[in-house]
Amino acid sequence: IAFYRQYPDYLVDFMLKDNNPQNFHFYFYQRIFLRTVMRHRYVYATFPRAYSKSFLSMMVLMLRCILYPNSHLFVTTGGKFII
């Protein structure tokens, strides 16, 4: 478990090893992002469009729930309030 907490991309590779019908793979920058976010408590980054920010953020939350039992996580977003 400690190894996969440091290298969460390897956990996803391991889970998809035998059952990967769509040939899913990470790009290098996605692996770096996953490792950085899992290793640090607070991360601030600005990325361009099509960086898969939402996908990677949701994946990090799911991996944290798997690797850290009894964790309580949530997602918030900004929105416009129109009267």
Side-chain angles (χ1 to χ4, degrees), residues 43-74:
V43 177
Y44 178 82
T46 304
F47 296 113
R49 293 178 60 198
Y51 192 84
S52 66
K53 299 177 290 286
S54 298
F55 171 75
L56 291 173
S57 298
M58 292 299 113
M59 182 169 283
V60 166
L61 289 177
M62 288 188 278
L63 289 170
R64 282 190 186 254
C65 288
I66 293 169
L67 296 172
Y68 295 93
N70 297 324
S71 58
H72 302 282
L73 306 171
F74 60 92

Side-chain angles (χ1 to χ4, degrees), residues 10-24:
Y10 287 162
L11 176 62
V12 176
D13 290 341
F14 176 74
M15 290 190 294
L16 292 175
K17 182 173 56 175
D18 295 331
N19 189 11
N20 195 356
Q22 298 169 345
N23 201 12
F24 176 81

